[in-house]
Amino acid sequence: MKVEVLGTGCAKCKRLAKNVEAAIKDLGIEAELVKVDDITEIMNRGVMLTPALAVDGELKVSGRVADVKEIKEILQG
């Protein structure tokens, strides 16, 4: 599983990344966490509001910080 946090490194982006790390740890799953901070790459994916969360290339959250509970639900499918 590839989990991507898309954002330019702002406080909200960092908070989302920490929440994703916590969710992965809580679930005890194997997941690759990638931080995408290149604005061109973010825009090419159609993301207009950061932070954003994508799982296996599919955009799940955009423009807000998802909490750990919500991320765990997303990761569990």
Side-chain angles (χ1 to χ4, degrees), residues 6-8 36-47 50:
L6 296 87
T8 56
V36 180
D37 58 7
D38 179 52
I39 192 69
T40 306
E41 174 68 20
I42 293 168
M43 289 174 62
N44 285 342
R45 294 182 186 215
V47 174
T50 60

Side-chain angles (χ1 to χ4, degrees), residues 38-64:
D38 179 52
I39 192 69
T40 306
E41 174 68 20
I42 293 168
M43 289 174 62
N44 285 342
R45 294 182 186 215
V47 174
M48 293 298 153
L49 295 171
T50 60
L53 173 66
V55 178
D56 292 331
E58 184 180 336
L59 189 63
K60 298 292 186 178
V61 176
S62 179
R64 64 184 176 84

